[in-house]
Amino acid sequence: LRIPAGQRAHVAAALKRDGIPTAVYYPRPLHHQEAYRRFPISASGLPVSEKLSQEVLSLPMHPYLKSEQQARVAGSVRRALRDI
């Protein structure tokens, strides 16, 4: 889920209050991580990766997520986004 810049922590906190777990898997873009430092990047950098590393928030997702659980997550996200 892409959250407007600077609002990800607010949305994650709101979901946490509702008991919805979230994750940020790449808080730093891959090209800033030690394992990838030796790989070349464009002279203009990787602006899309930079931007997404600040905006993406992962929500619960698995094949056994029931419709009611999906609705609960979606409702919590809607409320959190309405407050920003």
Side-chain angles (χ1 to χ4, degrees), residues 2-47:
R2 285 182 67 187
I3 305 296
Q7 299 298 319
R8 182 171 62 189
H10 166 78
V11 172
L15 283 127
K16 184 177 183 177
R17 284 190 299 274
D18 286 348
I20 309 292
T22 63
V24 176
Y25 290 107
Y26 298 100
R28 290 184 344 183
L30 290 178
H31 65 284
H32 285 246
Q33 296 182 29
E34 187 62 36
Y36 295 92
R37 289 205 187 264
R38 63 185 176 92
F39 292 94
I41 62 170
S42 166
S44 60
L46 298 173

Side-chain angles (χ1 to χ4, degrees), residues 11-83:
V11 172
L15 283 127
K16 184 177 183 177
R17 284 190 299 274
D18 286 348
I20 309 292
T22 63
V24 176
Y25 290 107
Y26 298 100
R28 290 184 344 183
L30 290 178
H31 65 284
H32 285 246
Q33 296 182 29
E34 187 62 36
Y36 295 92
R37 289 205 187 264
R38 63 185 176 92
F39 292 94
I41 62 170
S42 166
S44 60
L46 298 173
V48 173
S49 293
E50 300 276 347
K51 182 175 176 74
L52 292 176
S53 72
Q54 301 301 310
E55 296 178 349
V56 173
L57 183 67
S58 295
L59 302 174
M61 184 182 299
H62 54 79
Y64 307 107
L65 200 62
K66 297 177 183 172
S67 295
E68 301 82 27
Q69 294 168 311
Q70 294 172 31
R72 184 168 168 261
V73 170
S76 183
V77 169
R78 280 191 208 102
R79 284 189 300 280
L81 291 175
R82 188 176 50 226
D83 293 340

